[in-house]
Amino acid sequence: MMTKQALTDLILEKKTALGLSWADIASGVGLSPTFVTSACLGMNSLKPEFADKLVAILELPAEAKAAIEACPMKTWEQTVPTDPLIYRLYEVVGVYGPTMKELIHEEFGDGIMSAIDFSLDIDREANPAGDRVVITMNGKFLPYKSW
């Protein structure tokens, strides 16, 4: 069976060889670019009907279908990644995490934002001082319960 890492490596090769963008691939699959990219990088899985489309678009071998449908192991090898972009996201949470927690608790009460019932969008906003990255995280609020 193909591993998630072997699948990711193959997907990246095929994406480059076919000259496709993540938006192209996601459009063909019928899901958001964020979710499809995450699945292609091994952090999510696709349901069979979407896996079939991905395999066809990227001209992947049949064994790739099982790998893209397999439940992922969502782990990180480092406490804080050293890739500058990913590191900056950790920095944002490090600096603003306690503020976000306070504001969420004040607005919603004691609980968490779901990362399961969740969407993530990445957009570009034109700005004369330099284009802006707009990251929108949208997660269902899950209150803690007393028992």
Side-chain angles (χ1 to χ4, degrees), residues 4-83:
K4 287 277 190 189
Q5 186 57 58
L7 175 64
T8 293
D9 293 343
L10 181 58
I11 287 171
L12 293 173
E13 287 174 22
K14 290 288 198 168
K15 176 183 174 288
T16 300
L18 296 169
L20 297 172
S21 69
W22 290 118
D24 295 333
I25 296 166
S27 177
V29 170
L31 295 170
S32 81
T34 306
F35 189 79
V36 170
T37 303
S38 178
C40 289
L41 296 178
M43 294 303 277
N44 276 298
S45 60
L46 295 179
K47 292 187 173 18
E49 62 272 22
F50 299 115
D52 286 335
K53 291 177 184 178
L54 181 73
V55 167
I57 292 163
L58 292 174
E59 302 170 4
L60 299 171
E63 65 183 324
K65 185 175 186 294
I68 198 71
E69 291 175 3
C71 295
M73 178 65 73
K74 297 182 182 190
T75 61
W76 296 266
E77 292 188 22
Q78 306 176 64
T79 303
V80 177
T82 56
D83 176 85

Side-chain angles (χ1 to χ4, degrees), residues 90-121:
Y90 274 77
E91 182 180 34
V92 167
V93 173
V95 172
Y96 293 102
T99 299
M100 294 183 335
K101 179 178 171 56
E102 283 293 319
L103 294 172
I104 289 169
H105 285 176
E106 185 173 273
E107 180 70 24
F108 294 92
D110 191 18
I112 61 170
M113 180 178 74
S114 174
I116 296 170
D117 188 347
F118 178 84
S119 64
L120 172 73
D121 293 300

